[in-house]
Amino acid sequence: MVSGLINANPVVYEKKERRQRPASIPDADEYSAEAIDQLEVFDHVRDIKDPEHPYSLEELKVISEDAIEVDDRRSYVSCFRVTFTPTVEHCSMATVIGLCLRVKLMRSLPSRYKVDIRVAPGTHATEAAVNKQLNDKERIAAALENPNLVDMVDECLAPSYA
Amino acid sequence: MDLDDEGSNFELKEIQTLSGHTDRVWSLAWNPATGTDDAQPVIASCSGDKTVRIWERSALTRSWDCKAVLEETHTRTVRSCTWSPSGKLLATASFDATTAIWENVGGDFQCVSTLEGHENEVKSVSWNASESLLATCSRDKTVWIWEVMPGNEFECASVLQGHTQDVKMVKWHPTMDILFSCSYDNTIKVWAEDDTGDWHCIQTIGESSNGHSSTVWAISFNAGGDKMVTCRKHLSTLSGYHDRTIFSVHWSREGIIASGAADDAIRFFVESKDSVVDGPSYRLLLKKEKAHDMDVNVVQWSPGENRVMASASDDGTIKIWELATSSN
């Protein structure tokens, strides 16, 4: 797909320095008393490959650590809000990127965490429509039963499992 | 009566957890013909594991067991299941774009009919009170009405267009042949048949006046059929009680509204004695936090026993509960 790329010349940024991950990965332990913080969530998603370019979402500044917020208003349910910034306003890959974020976090975080995903306000032409789809559990479930879409997502997620 | 007594203490007692499904449980339905002295209660549940399970409570042990697994029919998630009013047939709606009709033939559930026609995922199915009509809805934005013919034949009577997005749920009015559909387009549509036998939309209930526009996931009628509760991100008229998506709502015969939401909680509401001039108001009777380990997708009151309820969740389980008053 050489011609017809939505953003043929993306700006590529330097990666942020990484902190060492502890030896045991907390996401495997459902009952870990340790709360998961923004940086940990960011570590799960920073290396996801952009669907169109051989760069990570971090390198393209689609996702950053600051864009992950903990919502701890309620003691009985733990929520994160992940905001991502598509590289161009009319990016038709926005829903795919959002889906990649959702799938990676679904597979990496304990099931007690709720995740809301949105595009950064003002950065996409059909922001409301994209956000609505990405947060409709039933639509996400149906989409993930589409093998072609799952293959595409898995390809983007492959570098993030290191 | 204790519901009116604001000082009554209620608690939700967990009776049993039913495990078996290997993926999230989307929905369940109590068989309306069971739960009496002669017939032990029966529940059908459906799941992302592409199967439907039939559960029955043993008369002897009072414990629930899985009696049947209906598999190898749907090829994708089974999203919704509902018994016919007589309890003889079970309809199951699937992401595989079909609706299957099952009959209990001597203890064995057989698929006796498959309804095809929707272009993509079927989300919900509902029988009318007299069992003469079936309605289905889909992400293809349409609602189909099917006539129930002798010999388990189903004929498409009408394809209703009007919603501009994915239709999430259909529900017939409890006594009249009026159909309600709720959608990702944030509206509820009301459909009725005219004198010439044509079905059309007689009303569209739009977004609430307080500006909250969101998908309508489910609706439920009270016993008399004169009131309806709907759920979006907030329960209509009960704003602020849930702030994650409410997936299911069910009105009991007695007037208790149960709701299940994406915050893993189950809530119960009743009409408040301090009714305001322009209509009744509702108050929270009880909130059960962490009713399940994950999102609660469905809540359904038992048709037979008083204040007994079932819920199902993304955690793959079904739970049977009793809403009891705690003696103080």
Side-chain angles (χ1 to χ4, degrees):
Chain A
M1 204 169 101
V2 176
S3 61
L5 283 182
I6 287 155
N7 182 7
N9 296 302
V11 179
V12 182
Y13 300 83
E14 259 180 45
K15 293 194 257 206
K16 182 181 161 145
E17 194 189 293
R18 314 183 163 220
R19 68 154 184 214
Q20 291 290 74
R21 279 221 212 147
S24 70
I25 310 292
D27 52 284
D29 180 0
E30 287 285 335
Y31 304 105
S32 168
E34 255 181 67
I36 290 180
D37 65 8
Q38 286 99 307
L39 184 52
E40 201 167 328
V41 174
F42 182 56
D43 279 342
H44 285 302
V45 300
R46 66 201 298 178
D47 294 324
I48 294 173
K49 189 187 89 67
D50 180 89
E52 284 197 307
H53 308 97
Y55 296 107
S56 73
L57 297 185
E58 177 183 16
E59 286 170 319
L60 296 173
K61 274 218 162 131
V62 170
I63 187 87
S64 69
E65 192 190 336
D66 304 324
I68 295 167
E69 301 160 274
V70 177
D71 174 358
D72 51 13
R73 282 174 297 168
R74 249 143 285 287
S75 58
Y76 59 91
V77 64
S78 317
C79 312
F80 282 105
R81 184 166 70 175
V82 177
T83 303
F84 70 98
T85 307
T87 55
V88 284
E89 218 185 72
H90 293 275
C91 180
S92 63
M93 287 287 143
T95 38
V96 176
I97 294 170
L99 193 59
C100 287
L101 289 166
R102 197 168 266 304
V103 173
K104 184 69 202 311
L105 292 175
M106 224 162 65
R107 291 178 184 168
S108 312
L109 297 179
S111 57
R112 68 175 186 276
Y113 285 95
K114 310 289 180 188
V115 177
D116 291 328
I117 301 190
R118 63 168 191 167
V119 291
T123 65
H124 196 271
T126 61
E127 179 179 321
V130 172
N131 289 343
K132 194 169 181 177
Q133 271 197 73
L134 291 177
N135 295 291
D136 182 315
K137 179 173 84 173
E138 190 183 66
R139 292 288 282 260
I140 298 286
L144 294 177
E145 288 184 352
N146 175 336
N148 295 328
L149 196 46
V150 173
D151 284 346
M152 194 181 198
V153 167
D154 280 339
E155 215 185 286
C156 294
L157 298 193
S160 74
Y161 288 109
Chain B
M1 187 172 76
D2 60 1
L3 287 182
D4 290 337
D5 177 6
E6 303 238 358
S8 277
N9 286 324
F10 285 88
E11 60 170 317
L12 190 62
K13 286 184 175 165
E14 195 176 314
I15 307 292
Q16 194 177 342
T17 297
L18 313 183
S19 303
H21 278 299
T22 55
D23 201 313
R24 61 169 33 121
V25 184
W26 279 109
S27 193
L28 62 87
W30 293 81
N31 186 314
T34 64
T36 62
D37 291 333
D38 303 330
Q40 289 304 306
V42 168
I43 285 176
S45 63
C46 58
S47 166
D49 66 13
K50 307 175 198 166
T51 74
V52 175
R53 281 179 178 248
I54 310 294
W55 312 82
E56 194 176 317
R57 193 180 72 195
S58 153
L60 200 63
T61 64
R62 301 281 291 183
S63 173
W64 290 83
D65 300 302
C66 181
K67 285 306 196 190
V69 180
L70 313 184
E71 54 195 343
E72 265 143 52
T73 298
H74 284 302
T75 55
R76 285 182 62 180
T77 285
V78 188
R79 176 63 181 88
S80 139
C81 57
T82 179
W83 299 92
S84 62
S86 64
K88 294 203 183 83
L89 298 174
L90 177 70
T92 59
S94 169
F95 282 2
D96 67 11
T98 72
T99 303
I101 310 294
W102 306 80
E103 192 175 353
N104 188 347
V105 181
D108 212 16
F109 278 85
Q110 285 173 21
C111 176
V112 296
S113 192
T114 302
L115 277 44
E116 293 174 346
H118 279 296
E119 283 172 23
N120 49 49
E121 298 93 53
V122 187
K123 305 281 173 101
S124 171
V125 57
S126 176
W127 301 85
N128 70 342
S130 62
E131 226 165 296
S132 60
L133 300 168
L134 194 66
T136 58
C137 65
S138 159
R139 179 168 64 87
D140 68 11
K141 308 174 193 152
T142 66
V143 172
W144 287 47
I145 295 186
W146 307 80
E147 263 168 39
V148 184
M149 319 278 270
N152 292 325
E153 292 288 315
F154 294 80
E155 209 171 86
C156 175
S158 193
V159 174
L160 309 177
Q161 306 192 328
H163 279 297
T164 56
Q165 297 270 11
D166 185 5
V167 189
K168 298 288 202 190
M169 192 204 208
V170 279
K171 195 117 181 84
W172 289 97
H173 185 271
T175 54
M176 302 186 278
D177 280 348
I178 296 178
L179 182 67
F180 291 74
S181 60
C182 56
S183 167
Y184 188 93
D185 69 12
N186 308 335
T187 69
I188 296 157
K189 282 186 181 284
V190 188
W191 311 86
E193 204 176 6
D194 64 21
D195 299 331
T196 64
D198 284 333
W199 288 87
H200 51 264
C201 178
I202 59 170
Q203 193 183 349
T204 299
I205 302 165
E207 298 155 16
S208 57
S209 54
N210 63 0
H212 283 288
S213 62
S214 53
T215 297
V216 188
W217 282 89
I219 55 179
S220 179
F221 296 95
N222 66 346
D226 61 293
K227 294 198 187 103
M228 178 177 79
V229 62
T230 66
C231 58
R232 310 167 183 254
K233 250 199 151 72
H234 306 265
L235 221 52
S236 99
T237 76
L238 295 162
S239 210
Y241 282 107
H242 277 287
D243 54 10
R244 296 196 65 81
T245 305
I246 303 158
F247 291 116
S248 175
V249 67
H250 196 216
W251 214 319
S252 79
R253 281 184 323 279
E254 227 190 335
I256 307 174
I257 299 168
S259 70
D263 60 1
D264 311 346
I266 292 174
R267 287 169 171 80
F268 299 92
F269 302 90
V270 288
E271 198 168 314
S272 169
K273 283 204 98 152
D274 326 308
S275 291
V276 291
V277 175
D278 49 344
S281 66
Y282 292 83
R283 64 178 177 90
L284 179 69
L285 191 73
L286 175 69
K287 173 176 84 171
K288 178 76 175 180
E289 285 175 12
K290 279 286 166 230
H292 281 272
D293 293 335
M294 293 172 75
D295 291 7
V296 181
N297 292 323
V298 64
V299 289
Q300 285 282 299
W301 291 102
S302 160
E305 291 161 292
N306 203 25
R307 300 194 186 168
V308 169
M309 203 201 72
S311 62
S313 164
D314 278 356
D315 67 14
T317 70
I318 294 149
K319 289 191 181 188
I320 312 292
W321 310 88
E322 190 190 330
L323 182 64
T325 41
S326 39
S327 45
N328 260 8

